[in-house]
Amino acid sequence: MVDQDDTIDRYEFALLYFLRNGFVTHDDIETLRKIHKAGGNMNAGDYDKRTPTHLAASEGKLAVVRFLVEEAGADHSPMDRWGGSPLDDAIRHSHHEVSAFLTSKGAKPRSHSEQRSTSSGPNCRLKPASSQARIITGVDDWP
């Protein structure tokens, strides 16, 4: 017999699998609904802390975003590891209907000054190579 915690863990794993494989972007709300009804965590993120809401917003899937937020009770503004929210993704990819929906639920975009400059991720702002680092020419040059 499988206990309740094991069942929920399996559904959280299934939701992450669902997220990683992009099924959210295929508008498969019925599968999401089944996972939710079985106790799956709709706020579960992947290794970058990106949730199904992030993915659906970045793909412009309004029906999925609406299901996640209104029916499944998912957070409308979770932050990924770069500090980005689903609203930031919708704005960046010009998904105006998704942006309007998330804003109507209370989501607020980050201001330009809040966006971090990182060496990887969606907010990457690399400097020209000449100012980024010196060229290492041999083993003796390592610090």
Side-chain angles (χ1 to χ4, degrees):
M1 177 154 175
V2 177
D3 68 10
Q4 183 69 19
D5 289 338
D6 184 50
T7 302
I8 291 172
D9 288 343
R10 285 187 305 167
Y11 279 107
E12 284 187 29
F13 176 80
L15 180 59
L16 290 172
Y17 178 84
F18 189 80
L19 173 64
R20 282 188 222 124
N21 286 285
F23 294 123
V24 167
T25 63
H26 290 97
D27 293 320
D28 192 349
I29 294 170
E30 287 311 308
T31 301
L32 278 172
R33 186 173 283 120
K34 288 176 186 176
I35 293 170
H36 171 64
K37 286 182 179 181
N41 180 355
M42 292 294 137
N43 289 311
D46 63 10
Y47 57 90
D48 286 328
K49 298 182 180 178
R50 292 184 56 75
T51 66
T53 309
H54 281 97
L55 186 59
S58 70
E59 295 290 330
K61 302 297 182 177
L62 178 60
V64 176
V65 173
R66 186 181 302 274
F67 162 77
L68 290 166
V69 173
E70 291 183 340
E71 188 175 328
D75 183 358
H76 60 68
S77 297
M79 293 296 165
D80 63 20
R81 81 176 196 166
W82 299 287
S85 70
L87 178 57
D88 297 324
D89 288 343
I91 291 169
R92 182 173 43 257
H93 297 290
S94 300
H95 298 306
H96 306 293
E97 289 180 340
V98 175
S99 298
F101 171 76
L102 290 169
T103 301
S104 77
K105 295 298 177 182
K108 297 199 181 336
R110 290 184 303 158
S111 70
H112 185 69
S113 64
E114 291 175 320
Q115 294 180 6
R116 288 186 358 212
S117 175
T118 63
S119 60
S120 64
N123 296 321
C124 180
R125 291 185 190 90
L126 294 177
K127 297 176 183 174
S130 60
S131 65
Q132 188 76 11
R134 64 184 178 87
I135 297 174
I136 297 176
T137 58
V139 175
D140 294 335
D141 290 339
W142 287 95

